[in-house]
Amino acid sequence: MEGKRTIFSGIQPSGELTLGSYLGAIKNWVELSEEYNCYYCIVDMHAITVRQNPAELRKRTLEQLAQYIACGLDPKKNTIFIQSHVSAHAELAWILNCYTMYGELSRMTQFKDKSSRNAENINAGLFTYPALMAADILLYQSDLVPVGDDQKQHVELTRDIAQRFNSVYGEVFKMPEPFIPKVGARIMSLTSPENKMSKSDKDPGGCIYLMQKPEDIMRSFKRAVTDSDRKVKYDPVSKPGVSNLMTIYSVAANKSYDEIEAEFEGKGYGDFKPAVGEAVVELLRPIREEAERLLKDKNYLVSVYKEGAERASRAATRTLRKVCKKVGFVDR
Ligand code: TYM
């Protein structure tokens, strides 16, 4: 791993992994994993900014670990771990909170969205969430952060925080760059294509889940919202539903928009929608089967997350020690 550049990314176990998280993030994690020294985290501390059922959170965390591996992340080559197992995240998050401005946090789109959806629980954690995310990234001196479009603002704030800290104390943190895929950075809901496909979506028909059965995936695609124009053409402004399906098909079947338009020339949505469904079923089938197999081997999953936490801790502690020294804490 010496000499390789570093990647950090994470997903909250706040719901079942969706096709959006796969295409926007995990698929790129896998593609980048050979070239980089990678830390892939299950960010359970972020998840509790919204109330979780404890038993379900525990279950989903393990399922998410199995799904990371099933998507092709080899735990021998990548450090895969659970955020709450590495206490440096919480420690650095506190310190960075003191270098993050109220005004910056108030401008975060995800905070505005989530606080309007959870008006009864606008807690301080939800507000300061980006400082924890900055800690995640900066602890590992990450070069690259592969995320979907919606996380770009948080990575930019991470850079601002790092810059502010470095300008006071010298070059403590490496400046990370977001890595956003060209196609698939923003997968929309199948039933309301003006909204992002999201694991916390209340409308299950709008979402495709990695563990979903083929017949359910097919049903959701057949019911996907399109338009009355009957033309398979990429135009996200006037044809958001069809364009979203084209994006999904493009990544799942590895075809360009031009190729897709040509393939469905003169054909209607009755041919197009099931074709997208089939491509997604085939994309997800091996992932689901492998995740189901791994979930039967609890001991293996435990060994993966324990080893991951040990490796992550070693790297994270190096940065944390440096930071503690810089701000004036007495050596332990
Ligand atoms: P989260 O858990 O909401 O989403 C995980 C990743 O999936 C991407 N994503 C999508 N991409 C395309 N289309 C969609 N519909 C879609 N839905 C989700 C997200 O952009 C993200 O990359 N704050 C982060 C988790 C996090 C993190 C980090 C990420 C915590 N610490 C450090 C990177 C680095 C979040 O809520 O992602």
Side-chain angles (χ1 to χ4, degrees):
M1 275 184 235
E2 291 306 303
K4 280 187 177 178
R5 302 208 308 150
T6 299
I7 280 183
F8 182 95
S9 198
I11 300 181
Q12 301 188 57
S14 50
E16 302 279 325
L17 288 185
T18 71
L19 185 63
S21 18
Y22 180 71
L23 298 181
I26 306 175
K27 188 167 177 290
N28 296 304
W29 298 5
V30 177
E31 283 165 15
L32 295 163
S33 72
E34 288 292 322
E35 240 181 285
Y36 287 80
N37 173 24
C38 301
Y39 294 88
Y40 293 129
C41 190
I42 300 166
V43 291
D44 54 348
M45 285 157 63
H46 279 95
I48 64 163
T49 54
V50 172
R51 277 298 167 266
Q52 303 291 333
N53 171 312
E56 277 174 25
L57 179 61
R58 227 182 316 273
K59 180 164 170 277
R60 275 199 309 266
T61 301
L62 270 196
E63 285 170 358
Q64 196 166 307
L65 173 67
Q67 289 169 41
Y68 279 9
I69 303 168
C71 285
L73 295 174
D74 178 350
K76 290 269 169 261
K77 296 188 187 154
N78 301 277
T79 303
I80 304 179
F81 70 105
I82 300 171
Q83 186 185 32
S84 62
H85 292 183
V86 180
S87 57
H89 289 250
E91 294 179 58
L92 183 62
W94 175 256
I95 297 173
L96 295 182
N97 261 316
C98 306
Y99 296 81
T100 308
M101 298 301 138
Y102 177 86
E104 289 174 322
L105 293 171
S106 313
R107 284 193 289 276
M108 294 294 115
T109 320
Q110 184 168 309
F111 171 69
K112 289 191 235 167
D113 274 5
K114 286 200 175 173
S115 50
S116 67
R117 274 190 278 124
N118 298 283
E120 72 300 337
N121 183 23
I122 307 179
N123 61 71
L126 192 65
F127 186 62
T128 62
Y129 175 118
L132 176 58
M133 180 158 162
D136 298 341
I137 296 169
L138 299 176
L139 271 176
Y140 300 93
Q141 304 291 349
S142 311
D143 295 282
L144 211 61
V145 185
V147 284
D149 196 45
D150 62 330
Q151 294 301 318
K152 192 168 169 221
Q153 195 184 31
H154 289 158
V155 181
E156 278 161 4
L157 178 57
T158 299
R159 289 170 58 89
D160 292 341
I161 298 170
Q163 183 91 56
R164 181 171 300 132
F165 196 93
N166 285 354
S167 72
V168 181
Y169 302 104
E171 290 300 300
V172 177
F173 296 125
K174 175 90 73 69
M175 211 46 84
E177 297 278 345
F179 178 95
I180 318 266
K182 285 197 185 68
V183 182
R186 200 170 168 76
I187 302 295
M188 310 309 276
S189 156
L190 299 189
T191 46
S192 49
E194 62 287 354
N195 297 320
K196 190 187 77 159
M197 184 183 283
S198 156
K199 41 180 147 54
S200 44
D201 197 344
K202 299 281 176 290
D203 175 9
C207 239
I208 300 294
Y209 300 98
L210 294 199
M211 299 301 274
Q212 223 172 346
K213 294 203 180 65
E215 55 273 26
D216 297 335
I217 296 178
M218 288 305 291
R219 188 177 324 112
S220 293
F221 276 103
K222 284 182 187 158
R223 289 184 184 162
V225 167
T226 48
D227 50 50
S228 52
D229 171 51
R230 292 182 47 83
K231 257 208 185 115
V232 177
K233 189 168 172 303
Y234 189 75
D235 180 352
V237 176
S238 63
K239 296 168 72 66
V242 170
S243 303
N244 185 43
L245 292 174
M246 285 181 74
T247 299
I248 295 172
Y249 190 54
S250 166
V251 191
N254 201 12
K255 293 180 182 177
S256 69
Y257 292 139
D258 286 346
E259 284 169 333
I260 300 169
E261 284 175 12
E263 183 178 345
F264 293 96
E265 170 95 65
K267 294 183 189 162
Y269 299 152
D271 289 314
F272 175 54
K273 293 204 282 187
V276 183
E278 291 287 353
V280 171
V281 164
E282 291 320 315
L283 177 75
L284 298 185
R285 187 192 304 281
I287 298 175
R288 175 175 47 85
E289 289 174 355
E290 178 64 359
E292 282 168 354
R293 191 185 70 74
L294 289 165
L295 277 166
K296 295 194 186 107
D297 193 351
K298 177 101 189 285
N299 289 341
Y300 171 68
L301 294 176
V302 172
S303 72
V304 168
Y305 73 60
K306 286 201 165 166
E307 201 185 311
E310 264 175 44
R311 261 190 289 177
S313 252
R314 272 198 297 277
T317 305
R318 273 198 296 275
T319 302
L320 183 65
R321 288 269 183 278
K322 218 178 190 178
V323 170
C324 288
K325 196 174 182 134
K326 292 284 185 189
V327 299
F329 295 166
V330 171
D331 270 351
R332 301 181 195 193

